[in-house]
C-alpha cells in the first residue's frame, strides 16, 4: 500500500457469504410445516395453539417453526388474549404476517436469480 494513499480500503464481501445466507433462508422456507403456517397466517393471526391445531403438529414443534419464521422477519408476534377456558382468559403471543412479508420472500428469492418477478 502506498503510504501517501489516504483513501479507505474497501473489502468486498466473499460471494460465499451471500450463498450461505441464501442457504439459511431457503432452509427456513423448505419446511412444509412452515409454509402451512405462512398460509394460515395469510388468512388470520393466531396463537401457537391455534396454529398447531391448524397444521396438525405439536405445540413445541409449532413454536420451533414460528421461531425460525420470526428469525427471517416474515412474521411478527404481539401480545394478545387466548380463547376463554375454565380458568379464564390468559395472555398469549399472537403471530401474524409482517405487512409485505410474503412479497419480501418473493423479492428476496428474485435477488438470486435472473428471473424477473413482478409482485
Amino acid at each position: 500500500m502506498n503510504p501517501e494513499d489516504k483513501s479507505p480500503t474497501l473489502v468486498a464481501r466473499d460471494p460465499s457469504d451471500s450463498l450461505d445466507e441464501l442457504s439459511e433462508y431457503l432452509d427456513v422456507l423448505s419446511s412444509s410445516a412452515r409454509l402451512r403456517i405462512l398460509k394460515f397466517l395469510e388468512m388470520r393471526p393466531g396463537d401457537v395453539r391455534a396454529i398447531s391445531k391448524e397444521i396438525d403438529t405439536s405445540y413445541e414443534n409449532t413454536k420451533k417453526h414460528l421461531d425460525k419464521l420470526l428469525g427471517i422477519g416474515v412474521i411478527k408476534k404481539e401480545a394478545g388474549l387466548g380463547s376463554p377456558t375454565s380458568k379464564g382468559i390468559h395472555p398469549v403471543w399472537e403471530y401474524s404476517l409482517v405487512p409485505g412479508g410474503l412479497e419480501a420472500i418473493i423479492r428476496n428469492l428474485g435477488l438470486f436469480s435472473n428471473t424477473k418477478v413482478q409482485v
Side-chain angles (χ1 to χ4, degrees):
M1 183 172 138
N2 182 350
E4 296 172 359
D5 186 2
K6 303 280 188 213
S7 61
T9 302
L10 299 177
V11 178
R13 279 184 53 174
D14 183 355
S16 65
D17 288 346
S18 295
L19 294 177
D20 289 342
E21 287 178 34
L22 174 62
S23 179
E24 290 174 23
Y25 193 78
L26 292 175
D27 183 52
V28 171
L29 297 176
S30 69
S31 165
S32 62
R34 291 183 204 126
L35 294 176
R36 288 194 310 272
I37 290 171
L38 290 174
K39 195 68 178 159
F40 174 82
L41 294 177
E42 183 180 29
M43 305 300 255
R44 63 186 173 280
D47 63 25
V48 178
R49 292 201 191 284
I51 296 167
S52 66
K53 184 177 178 181
E54 179 70 25
I55 68 167
D56 195 28
T57 190
S58 70
Y59 178 94
E60 294 80 15
N61 197 32
T62 301
K63 182 75 175 94
K64 289 177 186 176
H65 288 305
L66 289 166
D67 287 342
K68 293 271 190 176
L69 291 167
L70 282 166
I72 64 168
V74 295
I75 66 170
K76 62 182 178 176
K77 70 179 183 178
E78 299 174 307
L81 296 175
S83 301
T85 67
S86 61
K87 295 182 182 182
I89 298 175
H90 299 283
V92 295
W93 287 115
E94 190 167 80
Y95 295 84
S96 61
L97 286 176
V98 168
L102 293 180
E103 292 83 0
I105 291 171
I106 295 167
R107 275 193 313 276
N108 288 337
L109 293 176
L111 292 175
F112 296 97
S113 77
N114 293 324
T115 307
K116 299 287 185 199
V117 179
Q118 295 293 326
V119 180

